[in-house]
């Protein structure tokens, strides 16, 4: 069944309960499906699809950007070049790059970057920085001190003064060059 309203809108009703509204401009279309889903096509060809069961909105813009908004507050942006940006409910932002790298920015300012080889760099808001690789974990302090823990458990601490202290896996000092 089709109805034409005085304002120029067209309403089309389908037997399964789905109905379609075409705006008087002929470019704005809203389809309300029998299951509660709603699809809107805007004049600029932006498509907004609301999934009723999942309470999720999926917006596709004419430039190829896709934005998904979930009921828990999570928002995902899928860019045409393949990059993805996810904003979690706690406001943590995770960027997934096309080359396999990842970056997470936490609400406290901590930034974690993961490379394709699995190595990880963590930048803390207090100025400290950590590097995790398959061979070691290294923490760099703002004063220039660098502490490295190797996979075999050995630890090496280099101080700004030039002092170097090495410990075995049990914490026993093997070397300490006190300056």
């Amino acid at each position: 069944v089709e109805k034409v309203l005085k304002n120029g809108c067209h309403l089309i009703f389908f037997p399964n309960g789905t109905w379609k509204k075409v705006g008087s401009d002929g470019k704005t279309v809203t389809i309300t499906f029998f299951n509660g889903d709603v699809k809107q096509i805007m004049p600029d060809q932006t498509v907004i699809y609301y999934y009723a069961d999942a309470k999720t909105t999926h917006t596709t813009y004419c430039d190829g950007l896709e934005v998904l908004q979930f009921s828990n507050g999570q928002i995902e942006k899928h860019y045409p070049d393949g990059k993805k940006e996810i904003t979690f409910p706690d406001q943590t932002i995770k960027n997934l790059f096309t080359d396999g790298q990842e970056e997470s920015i936490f609400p406290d300012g901590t930034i974690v970057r993961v490379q394709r080889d699995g190595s990880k760099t963590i930048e803390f808001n207090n100025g400290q920085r950590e590097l995790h690789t398959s061979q070691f974990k290294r923490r760099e302090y703002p004063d220039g001190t660098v502490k490295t823990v190797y996979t075999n458990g050995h630890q090496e601490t280099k101080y700004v003064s030039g002092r170097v202290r090495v410990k075995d896996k049990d914490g026993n000092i093997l070397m300490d060059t006190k300056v």
Side-chain angles (χ1 to χ4, degrees):
V1 174
E2 183 171 352
K3 291 182 181 180
V4 180
L5 304 179
K6 289 179 183 177
N7 64 6
C9 289
H10 290 251
L11 297 177
I12 304 163
F13 298 91
F14 298 92
N16 68 354
T18 296
W19 60 281
K20 179 178 182 178
K21 176 183 176 185
V22 179
S24 57
D25 61 3
K27 296 178 181 179
T28 305
V29 178
T30 302
I31 304 167
T32 304
F33 295 94
F34 66 91
N35 65 356
D37 288 4
V38 178
K39 180 179 182 179
Q40 293 177 283
I41 303 168
M42 308 309 282
D44 67 355
Q45 294 306 300
T46 296
V47 177
I48 304 167
Y49 197 104
Y50 176 74
Y51 296 90
D53 283 348
K55 296 183 176 80
T56 299
T57 302
H58 182 178
T59 305
T60 305
Y61 296 92
C62 54
D63 65 0
L65 173 66
E66 294 183 47
V67 178
L68 293 103
Q69 296 171 286
F70 298 91
S71 61
N72 68 355
Q74 179 172 315
I75 298 171
E76 293 187 15
K77 294 180 182 177
H78 298 208
Y79 293 90
D81 66 1
K83 176 188 168 198
K84 294 180 182 177
E85 177 184 290
I86 304 166
T87 303
F88 294 96
D90 71 354
Q91 299 309 300
T92 296
I93 298 170
K94 184 172 200 166
N95 292 300
L96 304 170
F97 299 98
T98 55
D99 63 2
Q101 295 183 61
E102 296 180 12
E103 176 186 72
S104 296
I105 303 167
F106 295 90
D108 70 355
T110 300
I111 300 172
V112 178
R113 292 184 179 91
V114 181
Q115 305 301 317
R116 286 187 347 198
D117 66 2
S119 63
K120 183 187 301 185
T121 304
I122 305 167
E123 296 175 11
F124 297 95
N125 61 6
N126 62 5
Q128 294 180 18
R129 182 181 150 133
E130 271 190 21
L131 175 62
H132 296 196
T133 71
S134 57
Q135 293 85 29
F136 62 83
K137 291 182 182 179
R138 174 176 294 143
R139 183 167 283 221
E140 301 167 359
Y141 296 87
D143 69 357
T145 301
V146 177
K147 182 174 183 177
T148 306
V149 179
Y150 297 93
T151 52
N152 65 5
H154 276 70
Q155 298 178 27
E156 177 184 272
T157 306
K158 294 180 181 179
Y159 299 91
V160 179
S161 64
R163 175 182 175 195
V164 177
R165 183 173 57 197
V166 179
K167 295 180 181 180
D168 67 14
K169 63 180 177 62
D170 299 319
N172 300 313
I173 296 175
L174 301 176
M175 181 182 87
D176 194 347
T177 60
K178 296 180 181 174
V179 178

